[in-house]
Amino acid sequence: MIPRYSRPEMTRIWEPENKYRIWLDIEVAALEAMAQLGIVPETAVKAVRERGNFNVDRIDEIERETRHDVIAFLTNLAEYVGPEARFVHQGMTSSDVLDTTLSIQLSQAIDLLLADVDLLLAALKRRAEEHRHTLTVGRSHGIHAEPTTFGLKLAGHWAAFRRNRDRLVQARREIATCAISGPVGTFASVDPFVERYVADKLGLQVEPVSTQVIPRDRHAMVFSVFGVVASSIENLAIEIRHLQRTEVREAEEFFHPGQKGSSAMPHKRNPVLTENLTGLARLVRGAVVPAMENVALWHERDISHSSVERMLAPDATVTLDFALSRLTGVVDKLLIYPERMKANLESLGGLVFSQRVLLALTQAGISREAAYTLVQRNAMQVWHEGGNFLDRLAADPEVTIPRETLAHAFSYDFYTKHVDDIFARVFAEA
C-alpha cells in the first residue's frame, strides 16, 4: 500500500483514525444496549458520549507497554472519560471489537469498489456502443479466426464486470456481520441483546455463531471475489496489450503530450498502464490463498489470521480500487483504429471466410471431409504464397460451384447480422 498505487478515499478506511473511530462507535453502542438492560448506569453512557475520544499517538505509546492494542485504546479512552470508563467493554472480548470493525471496514471498502465498477461499466458501455459495428478479426489461439466487431469485444468485458458487480454486492452482504458474544462466543458475559443492538445501530447483520471470532469463510469469500475482479481487469488489460503490439496496432493506450516511452528509444509508445494492471491483478489475487488458509483456526479462536488480515485487507482493497480506476481511464481514452482493424482482417486474402466456403460446398452436395480438404488445400496455398482466397477457389477444378455462388460466402454482413441482438441481450439491464 504505497502512495503510487493508492487513492485517498480508500486509504482513509484503513488509517488508524477511522479504525479507532469505529472502535469507539462499537463501544458506545454496546454501552447503550447495556444501559437499556440495566447493566450499566445511564450516567456512564452520557459520560462516554460527551467526553469519549482518543489520540492515535497516545494509543501507540500505551501499546508499546501493554503489547495489546485494544487495551491501549481502552486505557486512552479512560483518560478522556474518567471514572465512568470502568463500565466500557463490560463482558466483551477484543475480538468482538476487532472483528466487527473489520466487517465495517471491508463493507466501506466494497462500497467504494462498487462505485469504481459502476464508472468502469459506464466507460465500457459507451465505447462498446461507439464501436458496435466496427469490424475486426476475432482470434483463437492468437490466430485469425472469423470476423467480429470491436464493440462485441467490449460488450463481453462489460458483461464480466456486471457479473463482478453482483459478486461484490454478495460479498458485502456476506461480510457485513457483527459479533458481540464474549469469550468463546457463548454470551455468558454479554447479553445477546447487546449484539443485536450494536448490529442494528451499525447497519450489520448478527453473526449466528461467532465462537469468539467471525468465521473466516466469510472473509475468504470476499477476498476470492476480489481475486475474480482482478482477473477480469487483467483479462481486458491483456487484450489491450495484444492489440497495441506493433504488428497489430488496432488499439492503444492514450499517449499524453510530453509522455516518454523509453529512455533509449524515442519512438516507443508502450502499453505501460495495462502492463501495470496485469501486475496489480497478481497482487490482489495473491491475497486469496492466505485468506483461504485463515479459515482453519484452532478451536474457538487463535490469532494466526490477524497478522495476515492486517496487511491483506488494506493492500488488496487499496490496490483493487486503484486498478479499477486506472482501467476506467484506459478504456475511456483508448485509441481505436478501425482502418487498421480492417487491414488486418483482410491481410490473409479472405481466409477468414473459410468456414462459409466449407458450408457452401457441403450444401452443394460435397461431403464434409472432401469439402474440408478442398478448402484447407487452397487456404494453405494462400497462407504460404499469398494471393486471394476466392480467386484460388474459383480456379480449382475440384471446386464445382460457380464463382458467383462462392462470392456470397465472402460477406462481412453475415458475421454482424446478430450484433444488435447480442447488444440488446447484454445491455438489457444497463
Side-chain angles (χ1 to χ4, degrees), residues 9-83:
E9 195 173 2
M10 182 67 83
T11 301
R12 278 194 291 270
I13 291 173
W14 304 105
E15 289 175 350
E17 181 70 29
N18 186 55
K19 179 181 72 172
Y20 294 137
R21 181 62 56 193
I22 298 170
W23 287 14
L24 183 56
D25 290 342
I26 292 169
E27 295 288 4
V28 170
L31 199 63
E32 291 172 351
M34 292 177 193
Q36 290 189 27
L37 292 172
I39 297 171
V40 303
E42 285 289 347
T43 54
V45 179
K46 185 174 184 293
V48 175
R49 280 184 186 147
E50 291 179 353
R51 300 193 296 274
N53 209 340
F54 57 87
N55 180 279
V56 174
D57 292 336
R58 176 63 177 144
I59 293 171
D60 290 343
E61 179 185 358
I62 297 169
E63 188 180 355
R64 282 193 288 272
E65 178 182 351
T66 63
R67 310 287 176 168
H68 195 292
D69 53 356
V70 175
I71 292 175
F73 169 80
L74 293 171
T75 301
N76 179 230
L77 177 63
E79 293 173 341
Y80 286 95
V81 173

Side-chain angles (χ1 to χ4, degrees), residues 26 96 99-100 103 175-180 194-200 202 204-208 210 214:
I26 292 169
D96 290 334
D99 277 14
T100 302
S103 293
I175 200 59
T177 60
C178 170
I180 309 289
V194 176
E195 183 180 63
R196 293 195 301 272
Y197 183 92
V198 174
D200 289 343
L202 300 179
L204 303 171
Q205 298 295 317
V206 167
E207 180 60 50
S210 56
I214 292 175

Side-chain angles (χ1 to χ4, degrees), residues 70-221:
V70 175
I71 292 175
F73 169 80
L74 293 171
T75 301
N76 179 230
L77 177 63
E79 293 173 341
Y80 286 95
V81 173
E84 293 90 346
R86 69 185 186 276
F87 295 108
V88 175
H89 205 70
Q90 291 270 317
M92 294 167 57
T93 72
S94 298
S95 293
D96 290 334
V97 177
L98 294 172
D99 277 14
T100 302
T101 297
L102 182 57
S103 293
I104 293 171
Q105 287 176 301
L106 285 171
S107 298
Q108 292 174 342
I110 292 172
D111 286 341
L112 292 184
L113 294 174
L114 285 167
D116 294 339
V117 170
D118 285 342
L119 292 174
L120 177 57
L121 287 170
L124 282 168
K125 185 174 186 294
R126 179 177 65 81
R127 300 311 302 271
E129 290 286 3
E130 180 185 348
H131 292 280
R132 179 189 288 220
H133 295 291
T134 299
L135 280 168
T136 189
V137 67
R139 298 173 173 90
S140 58
H141 306 277
I143 307 301
H144 284 204
E146 290 191 350
T148 183
T149 76
F150 193 70
L152 276 181
K153 281 178 177 278
L154 295 180
H157 290 284
W158 184 94
F161 280 102
R162 186 63 183 81
R163 293 191 294 273
N164 284 330
R165 192 187 195 288
D166 293 340
R167 293 175 183 123
L168 284 168
V169 169
Q170 175 60 31
R172 192 191 190 286
R173 189 179 302 116
E174 180 90 11
I175 200 59
T177 60
C178 170
I180 309 289
S181 54
V184 303
T186 63
F187 294 102
S189 57
V190 56
D191 194 281
F193 171 77
V194 176
E195 183 180 63
R196 293 195 301 272
Y197 183 92
V198 174
D200 289 343
K201 186 103 182 230
L202 300 179
L204 303 171
Q205 298 295 317
V206 167
E207 180 60 50
V209 181
S210 56
T211 75
Q212 189 164 324
V213 295
I214 292 175
R216 257 47 195 180
D217 60 284
R218 294 185 180 275
H219 303 73
M221 186 271 200

Side-chain angles (χ1 to χ4, degrees), residues 139-420:
R139 298 173 173 90
S140 58
H141 306 277
I143 307 301
H144 284 204
E146 290 191 350
T148 183
T149 76
F150 193 70
L152 276 181
K153 281 178 177 278
L154 295 180
H157 290 284
W158 184 94
F161 280 102
R162 186 63 183 81
R163 293 191 294 273
N164 284 330
R165 192 187 195 288
D166 293 340
R167 293 175 183 123
L168 284 168
V169 169
Q170 175 60 31
R172 192 191 190 286
R173 189 179 302 116
E174 180 90 11
I175 200 59
T177 60
C178 170
I180 309 289
S181 54
V184 303
T186 63
F187 294 102
S189 57
V190 56
D191 194 281
F193 171 77
V194 176
E195 183 180 63
R196 293 195 301 272
Y197 183 92
V198 174
D200 289 343
K201 186 103 182 230
L202 300 179
L204 303 171
Q205 298 295 317
V206 167
E207 180 60 50
V209 181
S210 56
T211 75
Q212 189 164 324
V213 295
I214 292 175
R216 257 47 195 180
D217 60 284
R218 294 185 180 275
H219 303 73
M221 186 271 200
V222 169
F223 285 98
S224 296
V225 169
F226 292 165
V228 173
V229 177
S231 293
S232 295
I233 290 171
E234 185 178 14
N235 190 28
L236 179 49
I238 285 179
E239 178 71 20
I240 294 169
R241 288 170 60 191
H242 280 311
L243 296 179
Q244 187 163 337
R245 285 180 297 132
T246 306
E247 295 81 4
V248 181
R249 294 180 62 195
E250 294 180 359
E252 67 174 341
E253 297 172 10
F254 180 77
F255 199 78
H256 291 267
Q259 182 175 341
K260 312 300 180 188
S262 166
S263 63
M265 296 164 284
H267 73 278
K268 295 295 290 298
R269 292 164 67 101
N270 300 328
V272 293
L273 299 179
T274 45
E275 289 176 342
N276 169 258
L277 288 171
T278 294
L280 295 178
R282 293 170 183 167
L283 286 174
V284 176
R285 284 197 303 271
V288 176
V289 170
M292 294 280 190
E293 293 174 341
N294 278 351
V295 175
L297 301 179
W298 283 24
H299 305 301
E300 278 60 53
R301 81 160 297 209
D302 63 47
I303 63 164
S304 59
H305 63 283
S306 176
S307 56
V308 180
E309 290 166 355
R310 286 175 191 261
M311 289 186 284
L312 285 191
D315 285 354
T317 55
V318 169
T319 303
L320 190 56
D321 168 64
F322 181 88
L324 285 166
S325 177
R326 169 154 286 183
L327 182 59
T328 299
V330 169
V331 171
D332 193 54
K333 295 183 176 181
L334 188 67
L335 302 175
I336 299 167
Y337 303 118
E339 292 305 316
R340 180 70 180 189
M341 292 178 180
K342 187 73 177 298
N344 286 340
L345 183 58
E346 296 175 346
S347 64
L348 291 181
L351 291 189
V352 292
F353 299 105
S354 69
Q355 181 186 206
R356 290 277 287 145
V357 175
L358 172 65
L359 296 177
L361 291 174
T362 59
Q363 289 292 319
I366 302 175
S367 72
R368 180 179 177 84
E369 293 73 19
Y372 196 103
T373 299
L374 282 175
V375 175
Q376 186 181 48
R377 184 180 68 219
N378 284 278
M380 291 304 100
Q381 289 174 350
V382 174
W383 186 279
H384 292 297
E385 302 168 15
N388 182 278
F389 188 39
L390 177 58
D391 290 344
R392 286 191 177 272
L393 288 166
D396 188 331
E398 293 186 45
V399 178
T400 56
I401 59 178
R403 181 189 179 96
E404 294 75 20
T405 303
L406 283 173
H408 287 302
F410 287 72
S411 169
Y412 292 120
D413 291 342
F414 178 82
Y415 300 96
T416 61
K417 61 186 178 182
H418 294 300
V419 168
D420 290 342

